[in-house]
Amino acid sequence: MADRSFLDWPFFEPHHRDLAEALDAWAADAVAKIDHSDTDAACRALVAEFGAGGWLSHATVEPGSNAPLDVRTLCLIRETLARHDGLADFAFAMQGLGTGAISLFGTDAQKADWLPKVRAGQAISAFALTEPQSGSDVASSTMTATRDGADYVLTGQKTWISNGGIADLYTVFARTGDEPGARGLSAFIVPADTPGLAIAERLDTIAPHPLATLDFAECRIPASAMIGESGAGFKIAMSVLDVFRPTVAAAALGFARRALDEALARVTTREVQGAPLFDLQMVQGHIADMALDVDAAALLIYRAAWTKDSGAPRITREAAMAKLFATDQAQQVIDKAVQLFGGAGVKSGEAVEKLYREIRALRIYEGASDVQRVIIARQALDAHLGG
């Protein structure tokens, strides 16, 4: 059984503890019954279940309310879901990330148009930032949004877009002016049925998720589809990632907790020469390292989430540290679990084998590990020079 003692840490309030316990019990039934044989259908079913269960109310702001997103709640939900099922975590997370710009910067009309449907599980959202040649270098984006009367015309391509092909709306970032780098980007709401938007390719990965490359060919949208001000796209994207980057770390933590639980069950029941595998000191060393990495990651994650919920305008440093450490160390924890399972650890369908495939992408998306190192180093330098 997963360790729950961390819920007693001072980062949390009673409602966080209640939510974590309730979601754990709900997911054990609702998530387990979803058929994963068709990934697209499974994601649609999961989103519908989350909507019916009321969980998506935590992924977006409530239209008409000034209450911000609670990052600790988002992290707890992703950690819990990831421990149960990687696709469930993905389906929940994208409802929040895909509409994060609307939640944080949208007009009242934009929020009223989309957020109720997303919260009810009746619309699936996506975050379209990455391009074939820019990757994590958002400032190098080349997709354009050209003003034409009362409209903007989008031209270009986005790739590795989660929920690509099944989403009902895309938050799209494109260049609206001649300003260099980050200063020329803007954000837009693009419904999936907009003429000129096409799915160029569906992308298969080692852990199945809905992913696609999107083509925008003379894709016309009204100027009212812009989120925030013209040229504010980079700021919007970074603000959204500030909120959701710690939740990626939380998902990695959920995978790591599941791997540790599976490993403990294995080494306490598997016998070698008439004694439990756990009696071997080398095995105890692996378990100790895994437990240490799990707790250290949790501390970094919930420090970042607590800092944001306490009113910090930006948590770039804290979020980068949490994502870097939690995702990299979760990879190590899961690898140790596979090793402790021996041959069974690489058998298709085994829990640790699925975790091994699930974790790898988390070290890449929403800022690869090496990008997080650059961010942390620059933050350290800025603090040094400023001090």
PDB file of all heavy atoms in Angstrom, residues 43 90-91 93-95 97-98 124-130 158-171 202-203 205 209-214 361 365-366:
ATOM      1  N   CYS A  43      -9.265   7.519 -23.626  1.00  0.00           N
ATOM      2  CA  CYS A  43      -9.117   8.905 -23.160  1.00  0.00           C
ATOM      3  C   CYS A  43     -10.463   9.611 -23.106  1.00  0.00           C
ATOM      4  O   CYS A  43     -10.753  10.341 -22.148  1.00  0.00           O
ATOM      5  CB  CYS A  43      -8.155   9.662 -24.074  1.00  0.00           C
ATOM      6  SG  CYS A  43      -6.427   9.386 -23.674  1.00  0.00           S
ATOM      7  N   PHE A  90      -2.765  11.302 -17.743  1.00  0.00           N
ATOM      8  CA  PHE A  90      -2.669  12.082 -18.979  1.00  0.00           C
ATOM      9  C   PHE A  90      -3.996  12.759 -19.306  1.00  0.00           C
ATOM     10  O   PHE A  90      -4.053  13.953 -19.608  1.00  0.00           O
ATOM     11  CB  PHE A  90      -2.244  11.148 -20.121  1.00  0.00           C
ATOM     12  CG  PHE A  90      -2.341  11.748 -21.491  1.00  0.00           C
ATOM     13  CD1 PHE A  90      -1.257  12.386 -22.061  1.00  0.00           C
ATOM     14  CD2 PHE A  90      -3.516  11.651 -22.231  1.00  0.00           C
ATOM     15  CE1 PHE A  90      -1.339  12.941 -23.337  1.00  0.00           C
ATOM     16  CE2 PHE A  90      -3.616  12.202 -23.499  1.00  0.00           C
ATOM     17  CZ  PHE A  90      -2.519  12.837 -24.050  1.00  0.00           C
ATOM     18  N   ALA A  91      -5.082  11.988 -19.246  1.00  0.00           N
ATOM     19  CA  ALA A  91      -6.392  12.512 -19.628  1.00  0.00           C
ATOM     20  C   ALA A  91      -6.816  13.661 -18.722  1.00  0.00           C
ATOM     21  O   ALA A  91      -7.356  14.676 -19.188  1.00  0.00           O
ATOM     22  CB  ALA A  91      -7.432  11.392 -19.596  1.00  0.00           C
ATOM     23  N   ALA A  93      -4.706  15.601 -16.840  1.00  0.00           N
ATOM     24  CA  ALA A  93      -3.752  16.712 -16.930  1.00  0.00           C
ATOM     25  C   ALA A  93      -4.004  17.584 -18.142  1.00  0.00           C
ATOM     26  O   ALA A  93      -3.923  18.823 -18.069  1.00  0.00           O
ATOM     27  CB  ALA A  93      -2.326  16.163 -16.967  1.00  0.00           C
ATOM     28  N   MET A  94      -4.346  16.969 -19.279  1.00  0.00           N
ATOM     29  CA  MET A  94      -4.521  17.750 -20.496  1.00  0.00           C
ATOM     30  C   MET A  94      -5.761  18.632 -20.453  1.00  0.00           C
ATOM     31  O   MET A  94      -5.820  19.659 -21.130  1.00  0.00           O
ATOM     32  CB  MET A  94      -4.560  16.825 -21.710  1.00  0.00           C
ATOM     33  CG  MET A  94      -3.201  16.254 -22.083  1.00  0.00           C
ATOM     34  SD  MET A  94      -1.895  17.517 -22.152  1.00  0.00           S
ATOM     35  CE  MET A  94      -2.601  18.695 -23.297  1.00  0.00           C
ATOM     36  N   GLN A  95      -6.758  18.259 -19.658  1.00  0.00           N
ATOM     37  CA  GLN A  95      -7.912  19.146 -19.508  1.00  0.00           C
ATOM     38  C   GLN A  95      -7.502  20.456 -18.845  1.00  0.00           C
ATOM     39  O   GLN A  95      -8.040  21.521 -19.166  1.00  0.00           O
ATOM     40  CB  GLN A  95      -9.013  18.456 -18.698  1.00  0.00           C
ATOM     41  CG  GLN A  95      -9.694  17.294 -19.416  1.00  0.00           C
ATOM     42  CD  GLN A  95     -10.430  17.721 -20.667  1.00  0.00           C
ATOM     43  OE1 GLN A  95      -9.862  17.753 -21.762  1.00  0.00           O
ATOM     44  NE2 GLN A  95     -11.707  18.057 -20.512  1.00  0.00           N
ATOM     45  N   LEU A  97      -4.042  21.629 -18.652  1.00  0.00           N
ATOM     46  CA  LEU A  97      -3.011  22.290 -19.450  1.00  0.00           C
ATOM     47  C   LEU A  97      -3.612  22.901 -20.711  1.00  0.00           C
ATOM     48  O   LEU A  97      -3.278  24.028 -21.092  1.00  0.00           O
ATOM     49  CB  LEU A  97      -1.907  21.297 -19.814  1.00  0.00           C
ATOM     50  CG  LEU A  97      -0.760  21.864 -20.651  1.00  0.00           C
ATOM     51  CD1 LEU A  97       0.021  22.915 -19.867  1.00  0.00           C
ATOM     52  CD2 LEU A  97       0.171  20.736 -21.111  1.00  0.00           C
ATOM     53  N   GLY A  98      -4.502  22.174 -21.363  1.00  0.00           N
ATOM     54  CA  GLY A  98      -5.078  22.644 -22.620  1.00  0.00           C
ATOM     55  C   GLY A  98      -5.884  23.913 -22.471  1.00  0.00           C
ATOM     56  O   GLY A  98      -6.002  24.700 -23.420  1.00  0.00           O
ATOM     57  N   ILE A 124     -12.784  18.099 -24.955  1.00  0.00           N
ATOM     58  CA  ILE A 124     -11.395  17.719 -24.695  1.00  0.00           C
ATOM     59  C   ILE A 124     -10.486  18.831 -25.205  1.00  0.00           C
ATOM     60  O   ILE A 124     -10.695  19.367 -26.297  1.00  0.00           O
ATOM     61  CB  ILE A 124     -11.062  16.374 -25.367  1.00  0.00           C
ATOM     62  CG1 ILE A 124     -11.877  15.254 -24.710  1.00  0.00           C
ATOM     63  CG2 ILE A 124      -9.577  16.060 -25.291  1.00  0.00           C
ATOM     64  CD1 ILE A 124     -11.715  13.900 -25.362  1.00  0.00           C
ATOM     65  N   SER A 125      -9.478  19.177 -24.410  1.00  0.00           N
ATOM     66  CA  SER A 125      -8.625  20.313 -24.751  1.00  0.00           C
ATOM     67  C   SER A 125      -7.191  19.882 -25.029  1.00  0.00           C
ATOM     68  O   SER A 125      -6.765  18.786 -24.647  1.00  0.00           O
ATOM     69  CB  SER A 125      -8.644  21.347 -23.624  1.00  0.00           C
ATOM     70  OG  SER A 125      -8.064  20.819 -22.451  1.00  0.00           O
ATOM     71  N   ALA A 126      -6.456  20.770 -25.699  1.00  0.00           N
ATOM     72  CA  ALA A 126      -5.058  20.499 -26.048  1.00  0.00           C
ATOM     73  C   ALA A 126      -4.264  21.804 -26.036  1.00  0.00           C
ATOM     74  O   ALA A 126      -4.817  22.889 -26.233  1.00  0.00           O
ATOM     75  CB  ALA A 126      -4.960  19.833 -27.417  1.00  0.00           C
ATOM     76  N   PHE A 127      -2.966  21.680 -25.819  1.00  0.00           N
ATOM     77  CA  PHE A 127      -2.027  22.803 -25.700  1.00  0.00           C
ATOM     78  C   PHE A 127      -1.047  22.685 -26.854  1.00  0.00           C
ATOM     79  O   PHE A 127      -0.198  21.776 -26.865  1.00  0.00           O
ATOM     80  CB  PHE A 127      -1.318  22.694 -24.349  1.00  0.00           C
ATOM     81  CG  PHE A 127      -0.413  23.835 -23.975  1.00  0.00           C
ATOM     82  CD1 PHE A 127      -0.926  25.041 -23.545  1.00  0.00           C
ATOM     83  CD2 PHE A 127       0.967  23.672 -23.990  1.00  0.00           C
ATOM     84  CE1 PHE A 127      -0.091  26.081 -23.147  1.00  0.00           C
ATOM     85  CE2 PHE A 127       1.818  24.698 -23.602  1.00  0.00           C
ATOM     86  CZ  PHE A 127       1.288  25.907 -23.180  1.00  0.00           C
ATOM     87  N   ALA A 128      -1.147  23.574 -27.850  1.00  0.00           N
ATOM     88  CA  ALA A 128      -0.357  23.453 -29.074  1.00  0.00           C
ATOM     89  C   ALA A 128       0.749  24.498 -29.087  1.00  0.00           C
ATOM     90  O   ALA A 128       0.560  25.629 -29.558  1.00  0.00           O
ATOM     91  CB  ALA A 128      -1.259  23.589 -30.294  1.00  0.00           C
ATOM     92  N   LEU A 129       1.902  24.119 -28.581  1.00  0.00           N
ATOM     93  CA  LEU A 129       3.048  25.027 -28.465  1.00  0.00           C
ATOM     94  C   LEU A 129       4.235  24.556 -29.291  1.00  0.00           C
ATOM     95  O   LEU A 129       4.869  25.331 -29.998  1.00  0.00           O
ATOM     96  CB  LEU A 129       3.438  25.155 -26.993  1.00  0.00           C
ATOM     97  CG  LEU A 129       4.606  26.070 -26.643  1.00  0.00           C
ATOM     98  CD1 LEU A 129       4.279  27.524 -27.008  1.00  0.00           C
ATOM     99  CD2 LEU A 129       4.930  25.978 -25.145  1.00  0.00           C
ATOM    100  N   THR A 130       4.554  23.274 -29.230  1.00  0.00           N
ATOM    101  CA  THR A 130       5.768  22.735 -29.845  1.00  0.00           C
ATOM    102  C   THR A 130       5.679  22.723 -31.370  1.00  0.00           C
ATOM    103  O   THR A 130       4.639  22.412 -31.941  1.00  0.00           O
ATOM    104  CB  THR A 130       6.021  21.305 -29.334  1.00  0.00           C
ATOM    105  OG1 THR A 130       6.129  21.332 -27.915  1.00  0.00           O
ATOM    106  CG2 THR A 130       7.294  20.726 -29.922  1.00  0.00           C
ATOM    107  N   LYS A 158       2.278  22.483 -35.893  1.00  0.00           N
ATOM    108  CA  LYS A 158       2.587  22.131 -34.514  1.00  0.00           C
ATOM    109  C   LYS A 158       2.744  20.616 -34.437  1.00  0.00           C
ATOM    110  O   LYS A 158       2.070  19.883 -35.180  1.00  0.00           O
ATOM    111  CB  LYS A 158       1.480  22.584 -33.565  1.00  0.00           C
ATOM    112  CG  LYS A 158       1.271  24.089 -33.501  1.00  0.00           C
ATOM    113  CD  LYS A 158       2.433  24.801 -32.835  1.00  0.00           C
ATOM    114  CE  LYS A 158       2.176  26.303 -32.748  1.00  0.00           C
ATOM    115  NZ  LYS A 158       3.292  27.018 -32.066  1.00  0.00           N
ATOM    116  N   THR A 159       3.594  20.147 -33.541  1.00  0.00           N
ATOM    117  CA  THR A 159       3.808  18.702 -33.455  1.00  0.00           C
ATOM    118  C   THR A 159       3.954  18.259 -32.005  1.00  0.00           C
ATOM    119  O   THR A 159       4.136  19.081 -31.109  1.00  0.00           O
ATOM    120  CB  THR A 159       5.032  18.284 -34.288  1.00  0.00           C
ATOM    121  OG1 THR A 159       5.038  16.852 -34.439  1.00  0.00           O
ATOM    122  CG2 THR A 159       6.334  18.727 -33.614  1.00  0.00           C
ATOM    123  N   TRP A 160       3.862  16.944 -31.816  1.00  0.00           N
ATOM    124  CA  TRP A 160       3.869  16.323 -30.487  1.00  0.00           C
ATOM    125  C   TRP A 160       2.771  16.935 -29.603  1.00  0.00           C
ATOM    126  O   TRP A 160       2.978  17.182 -28.416  1.00  0.00           O
ATOM    127  CB  TRP A 160       5.242  16.453 -29.800  1.00  0.00           C
ATOM    128  CG  TRP A 160       6.316  15.717 -30.524  1.00  0.00           C
ATOM    129  CD1 TRP A 160       7.349  16.246 -31.217  1.00  0.00           C
ATOM    130  CD2 TRP A 160       6.427  14.292 -30.660  1.00  0.00           C
ATOM    131  NE1 TRP A 160       8.109  15.258 -31.787  1.00  0.00           N
ATOM    132  CE2 TRP A 160       7.567  14.036 -31.450  1.00  0.00           C
ATOM    133  CE3 TRP A 160       5.673  13.206 -30.202  1.00  0.00           C
ATOM    134  CZ2 TRP A 160       7.975  12.747 -31.788  1.00  0.00           C
ATOM    135  CZ3 TRP A 160       6.086  11.924 -30.535  1.00  0.00           C
ATOM    136  CH2 TRP A 160       7.220  11.703 -31.308  1.00  0.00           C
ATOM    137  N   ILE A 161       1.617  17.152 -30.207  1.00  0.00           N
ATOM    138  CA  ILE A 161       0.517  17.784 -29.487  1.00  0.00           C
ATOM    139  C   ILE A 161      -0.328  16.707 -28.811  1.00  0.00           C
ATOM    140  O   ILE A 161      -0.985  15.899 -29.483  1.00  0.00           O
ATOM    141  CB  ILE A 161      -0.348  18.641 -30.434  1.00  0.00           C
ATOM    142  CG1 ILE A 161       0.539  19.664 -31.165  1.00  0.00           C
ATOM    143  CG2 ILE A 161      -1.448  19.331 -29.638  1.00  0.00           C
ATOM    144  CD1 ILE A 161       1.417  20.520 -30.265  1.00  0.00           C
ATOM    145  N   SER A 162      -0.305  16.714 -27.483  1.00  0.00           N
ATOM    146  CA  SER A 162      -1.094  15.760 -26.710  1.00  0.00           C
ATOM    147  C   SER A 162      -2.583  16.032 -26.924  1.00  0.00           C
ATOM    148  O   SER A 162      -3.015  17.187 -26.930  1.00  0.00           O
ATOM    149  CB  SER A 162      -0.761  15.874 -25.217  1.00  0.00           C
ATOM    150  OG  SER A 162       0.582  15.511 -24.981  1.00  0.00           O
ATOM    151  N   ASN A 163      -3.337  14.972 -27.093  1.00  0.00           N
ATOM    152  CA  ASN A 163      -4.763  15.010 -27.449  1.00  0.00           C
ATOM    153  C   ASN A 163      -4.975  15.417 -28.893  1.00  0.00           C
ATOM    154  O   ASN A 163      -6.122  15.606 -29.323  1.00  0.00           O
ATOM    155  CB  ASN A 163      -5.592  15.907 -26.520  1.00  0.00           C
ATOM    156  CG  ASN A 163      -5.987  15.207 -25.233  1.00  0.00           C
ATOM    157  OD1 ASN A 163      -5.928  13.979 -25.136  1.00  0.00           O
ATOM    158  ND2 ASN A 163      -6.382  15.973 -24.237  1.00  0.00           N
ATOM    159  N   GLY A 164      -3.904  15.554 -29.658  1.00  0.00           N
ATOM    160  CA  GLY A 164      -4.043  15.848 -31.073  1.00  0.00           C
ATOM    161  C   GLY A 164      -4.846  14.749 -31.763  1.00  0.00           C
ATOM    162  O   GLY A 164      -4.518  13.581 -31.656  1.00  0.00           O
ATOM    163  N   GLY A 165      -5.888  15.151 -32.452  1.00  0.00           N
ATOM    164  CA  GLY A 165      -6.738  14.187 -33.143  1.00  0.00           C
ATOM    165  C   GLY A 165      -8.017  13.877 -32.421  1.00  0.00           C
ATOM    166  O   GLY A 165      -8.986  13.426 -33.039  1.00  0.00           O
ATOM    167  N   ILE A 166      -8.059  14.115 -31.087  1.00  0.00           N
ATOM    168  CA  ILE A 166      -9.303  13.877 -30.355  1.00  0.00           C
ATOM    169  C   ILE A 166      -9.801  15.138 -29.641  1.00  0.00           C
ATOM    170  O   ILE A 166     -10.895  15.140 -29.087  1.00  0.00           O
ATOM    171  CB  ILE A 166      -9.166  12.730 -29.333  1.00  0.00           C
ATOM    172  CG1 ILE A 166      -8.246  13.120 -28.166  1.00  0.00           C
ATOM    173  CG2 ILE A 166      -8.697  11.453 -30.011  1.00  0.00           C
ATOM    174  CD1 ILE A 166      -8.300  12.141 -27.003  1.00  0.00           C
ATOM    175  N   ALA A 167      -8.999  16.191 -29.651  1.00  0.00           N
ATOM    176  CA  ALA A 167      -9.372  17.413 -28.931  1.00  0.00           C
ATOM    177  C   ALA A 167     -10.511  18.150 -29.635  1.00  0.00           C
ATOM    178  O   ALA A 167     -10.660  18.085 -30.859  1.00  0.00           O
ATOM    179  CB  ALA A 167      -8.169  18.337 -28.789  1.00  0.00           C
ATOM    180  N   ASP A 168     -11.292  18.874 -28.838  1.00  0.00           N
ATOM    181  CA  ASP A 168     -12.342  19.736 -29.362  1.00  0.00           C
ATOM    182  C   ASP A 168     -11.867  21.179 -29.484  1.00  0.00           C
ATOM    183  O   ASP A 168     -12.446  21.952 -30.247  1.00  0.00           O
ATOM    184  CB  ASP A 168     -13.565  19.684 -28.444  1.00  0.00           C
ATOM    185  CG  ASP A 168     -14.166  18.298 -28.374  1.00  0.00           C
ATOM    186  OD1 ASP A 168     -14.723  17.846 -29.390  1.00  0.00           O
ATOM    187  OD2 ASP A 168     -14.048  17.645 -27.319  1.00  0.00           O
ATOM    188  N   LEU A 169     -10.841  21.542 -28.709  1.00  0.00           N
ATOM    189  CA  LEU A 169     -10.255  22.882 -28.822  1.00  0.00           C
ATOM    190  C   LEU A 169      -8.760  22.808 -28.577  1.00  0.00           C
ATOM    191  O   LEU A 169      -8.285  21.958 -27.810  1.00  0.00           O
ATOM    192  CB  LEU A 169     -10.873  23.853 -27.821  1.00  0.00           C
ATOM    193  CG  LEU A 169     -10.474  23.719 -26.354  1.00  0.00           C
ATOM    194  CD1 LEU A 169     -10.507  25.068 -25.661  1.00  0.00           C
ATOM    195  CD2 LEU A 169     -11.389  22.751 -25.634  1.00  0.00           C
ATOM    196  N   TYR A 170      -8.048  23.677 -29.271  1.00  0.00           N
ATOM    197  CA  TYR A 170      -6.598  23.789 -29.140  1.00  0.00           C
ATOM    198  C   TYR A 170      -6.240  25.208 -28.708  1.00  0.00           C
ATOM    199  O   TYR A 170      -6.763  26.172 -29.270  1.00  0.00           O
ATOM    200  CB  TYR A 170      -5.903  23.483 -30.474  1.00  0.00           C
ATOM    201  CG  TYR A 170      -6.094  22.077 -30.968  1.00  0.00           C
ATOM    202  CD1 TYR A 170      -7.180  21.740 -31.773  1.00  0.00           C
ATOM    203  CD2 TYR A 170      -5.200  21.067 -30.620  1.00  0.00           C
ATOM    204  CE1 TYR A 170      -7.370  20.442 -32.236  1.00  0.00           C
ATOM    205  CE2 TYR A 170      -5.374  19.760 -31.079  1.00  0.00           C
ATOM    206  CZ  TYR A 170      -6.456  19.461 -31.882  1.00  0.00           C
ATOM    207  OH  TYR A 170      -6.642  18.172 -32.328  1.00  0.00           O
ATOM    208  N   THR A 171      -5.369  25.318 -27.716  1.00  0.00           N
ATOM    209  CA  THR A 171      -4.757  26.608 -27.402  1.00  0.00           C
ATOM    210  C   THR A 171      -3.478  26.677 -28.218  1.00  0.00           C
ATOM    211  O   THR A 171      -2.541  25.894 -27.990  1.00  0.00           O
ATOM    212  CB  THR A 171      -4.444  26.741 -25.908  1.00  0.00           C
ATOM    213  OG1 THR A 171      -5.672  26.693 -25.161  1.00  0.00           O
ATOM    214  CG2 THR A 171      -3.740  28.056 -25.617  1.00  0.00           C
ATOM    215  N   ARG A 202      -0.719  11.125 -36.978  1.00  0.00           N
ATOM    216  CA  ARG A 202      -0.851  10.620 -35.624  1.00  0.00           C
ATOM    217  C   ARG A 202       0.469   9.966 -35.234  1.00  0.00           C
ATOM    218  O   ARG A 202       1.077   9.234 -36.029  1.00  0.00           O
ATOM    219  CB  ARG A 202      -1.999   9.613 -35.521  1.00  0.00           C
ATOM    220  CG  ARG A 202      -3.379  10.215 -35.755  1.00  0.00           C
ATOM    221  CD  ARG A 202      -3.743  11.272 -34.731  1.00  0.00           C
ATOM    222  NE  ARG A 202      -3.771  10.759 -33.368  1.00  0.00           N
ATOM    223  CZ  ARG A 202      -4.844  10.203 -32.786  1.00  0.00           C
ATOM    224  NH1 ARG A 202      -5.984  10.098 -33.462  1.00  0.00           N
ATOM    225  NH2 ARG A 202      -4.777   9.769 -31.547  1.00  0.00           N
ATOM    226  N   LEU A 203       0.932  10.226 -34.022  1.00  0.00           N
ATOM    227  CA  LEU A 203       2.260   9.801 -33.583  1.00  0.00           C
ATOM    228  C   LEU A 203       2.140   8.679 -32.551  1.00  0.00           C
ATOM    229  O   LEU A 203       1.460   8.827 -31.541  1.00  0.00           O
ATOM    230  CB  LEU A 203       3.010  10.987 -32.976  1.00  0.00           C
ATOM    231  CG  LEU A 203       3.133  12.219 -33.897  1.00  0.00           C
ATOM    232  CD1 LEU A 203       3.662  13.412 -33.120  1.00  0.00           C
ATOM    233  CD2 LEU A 203       4.029  11.912 -35.084  1.00  0.00           C
ATOM    234  N   THR A 205       3.881   6.211 -29.738  1.00  0.00           N
ATOM    235  CA  THR A 205       4.987   6.260 -28.783  1.00  0.00           C
ATOM    236  C   THR A 205       5.034   4.969 -27.961  1.00  0.00           C
ATOM    237  O   THR A 205       4.106   4.158 -28.002  1.00  0.00           O
ATOM    238  CB  THR A 205       4.837   7.464 -27.835  1.00  0.00           C
ATOM    239  OG1 THR A 205       3.560   7.410 -27.191  1.00  0.00           O
ATOM    240  CG2 THR A 205       4.958   8.772 -28.598  1.00  0.00           C
ATOM    241  N   HIS A 209      -0.440   7.208 -26.148  1.00  0.00           N
ATOM    242  CA  HIS A 209      -1.231   8.389 -25.813  1.00  0.00           C
ATOM    243  C   HIS A 209      -1.680   9.020 -27.122  1.00  0.00           C
ATOM    244  O   HIS A 209      -0.999   8.863 -28.141  1.00  0.00           O
ATOM    245  CB  HIS A 209      -0.401   9.412 -25.026  1.00  0.00           C
ATOM    246  CG  HIS A 209       0.066   8.957 -23.687  1.00  0.00           C
ATOM    247  ND1 HIS A 209       1.260   8.307 -23.502  1.00  0.00           N
ATOM    248  CD2 HIS A 209      -0.502   9.035 -22.470  1.00  0.00           C
ATOM    249  CE1 HIS A 209       1.407   8.007 -22.217  1.00  0.00           C
ATOM    250  NE2 HIS A 209       0.352   8.440 -21.571  1.00  0.00           N
ATOM    251  N   PRO A 210      -2.771   9.770 -27.130  1.00  0.00           N
ATOM    252  CA  PRO A 210      -3.158  10.478 -28.352  1.00  0.00           C
ATOM    253  C   PRO A 210      -2.190  11.632 -28.610  1.00  0.00           C
ATOM    254  O   PRO A 210      -2.103  12.571 -27.823  1.00  0.00           O
ATOM    255  CB  PRO A 210      -4.567  11.009 -28.034  1.00  0.00           C
ATOM    256  CG  PRO A 210      -5.018  10.270 -26.818  1.00  0.00           C
ATOM    257  CD  PRO A 210      -3.776   9.930 -26.062  1.00  0.00           C
ATOM    258  N   LEU A 211      -1.463  11.552 -29.698  1.00  0.00           N
ATOM    259  CA  LEU A 211      -0.489  12.579 -30.077  1.00  0.00           C
ATOM    260  C   LEU A 211      -0.587  12.808 -31.578  1.00  0.00           C
ATOM    261  O   LEU A 211      -0.840  11.865 -32.339  1.00  0.00           O
ATOM    262  CB  LEU A 211       0.940  12.140 -29.736  1.00  0.00           C
ATOM    263  CG  LEU A 211       1.315  12.019 -28.259  1.00  0.00           C
ATOM    264  CD1 LEU A 211       2.577  11.177 -28.105  1.00  0.00           C
ATOM    265  CD2 LEU A 211       1.544  13.396 -27.663  1.00  0.00           C
ATOM    266  N   ALA A 212      -0.357  14.040 -32.005  1.00  0.00           N
ATOM    267  CA  ALA A 212      -0.476  14.315 -33.438  1.00  0.00           C
ATOM    268  C   ALA A 212       0.345  15.526 -33.840  1.00  0.00           C
ATOM    269  O   ALA A 212       0.729  16.364 -33.016  1.00  0.00           O
ATOM    270  CB  ALA A 212      -1.943  14.549 -33.815  1.00  0.00           C
ATOM    271  N   THR A 213       0.598  15.596 -35.136  1.00  0.00           N
ATOM    272  CA  THR A 213       1.125  16.799 -35.786  1.00  0.00           C
ATOM    273  C   THR A 213      -0.048  17.512 -36.442  1.00  0.00           C
ATOM    274  O   THR A 213      -0.877  16.885 -37.109  1.00  0.00           O
ATOM    275  CB  THR A 213       2.172  16.436 -36.844  1.00  0.00           C
ATOM    276  OG1 THR A 213       3.287  15.795 -36.206  1.00  0.00           O
ATOM    277  CG2 THR A 213       2.665  17.671 -37.586  1.00  0.00           C
ATOM    278  N   LEU A 214      -0.138  18.819 -36.224  1.00  0.00           N
ATOM    279  CA  LEU A 214      -1.241  19.620 -36.744  1.00  0.00           C
ATOM    280  C   LEU A 214      -0.754  20.529 -37.858  1.00  0.00           C
ATOM    281  O   LEU A 214       0.297  21.169 -37.728  1.00  0.00           O
ATOM    282  CB  LEU A 214      -1.850  20.485 -35.636  1.00  0.00           C
ATOM    283  CG  LEU A 214      -2.180  19.828 -34.296  1.00  0.00           C
ATOM    284  CD1 LEU A 214      -2.733  20.883 -33.331  1.00  0.00           C
ATOM    285  CD2 LEU A 214      -3.170  18.697 -34.475  1.00  0.00           C
ATOM    286  N   ALA A 361       8.837   9.709 -21.212  1.00  0.00           N
ATOM    287  CA  ALA A 361       8.408  10.957 -21.856  1.00  0.00           C
ATOM    288  C   ALA A 361       8.379  12.132 -20.890  1.00  0.00           C
ATOM    289  O   ALA A 361       8.545  13.288 -21.307  1.00  0.00           O
ATOM    290  CB  ALA A 361       7.034  10.770 -22.483  1.00  0.00           C
ATOM    291  N   TYR A 365       8.792  16.196 -22.092  1.00  0.00           N
ATOM    292  CA  TYR A 365       7.756  17.188 -22.356  1.00  0.00           C
ATOM    293  C   TYR A 365       7.659  18.244 -21.255  1.00  0.00           C
ATOM    294  O   TYR A 365       8.089  18.028 -20.136  1.00  0.00           O
ATOM    295  CB  TYR A 365       6.414  16.531 -22.658  1.00  0.00           C
ATOM    296  CG  TYR A 365       5.643  15.907 -21.514  1.00  0.00           C
ATOM    297  CD1 TYR A 365       5.032  16.685 -20.539  1.00  0.00           C
ATOM    298  CD2 TYR A 365       5.460  14.528 -21.453  1.00  0.00           C
ATOM    299  CE1 TYR A 365       4.292  16.124 -19.524  1.00  0.00           C
ATOM    300  CE2 TYR A 365       4.716  13.943 -20.442  1.00  0.00           C
ATOM    301  CZ  TYR A 365       4.130  14.750 -19.484  1.00  0.00           C
ATOM    302  OH  TYR A 365       3.387  14.176 -18.477  1.00  0.00           O
ATOM    303  N   GLU A 366       7.101  19.384 -21.635  1.00  0.00           N
ATOM    304  CA  GLU A 366       7.014  20.585 -20.781  1.00  0.00           C
ATOM    305  C   GLU A 366       8.378  21.019 -20.260  1.00  0.00           C
ATOM    306  O   GLU A 366       8.530  21.448 -19.128  1.00  0.00           O
ATOM    307  CB  GLU A 366       6.016  20.376 -19.637  1.00  0.00           C
ATOM    308  CG  GLU A 366       4.578  20.288 -20.129  1.00  0.00           C
ATOM    309  CD  GLU A 366       3.559  20.335 -19.013  1.00  0.00           C
ATOM    310  OE1 GLU A 366       3.743  21.097 -18.047  1.00  0.00           O
ATOM    311  OE2 GLU A 366       2.562  19.598 -19.113  1.00  0.00           O
TER     312      GLU A 366
END
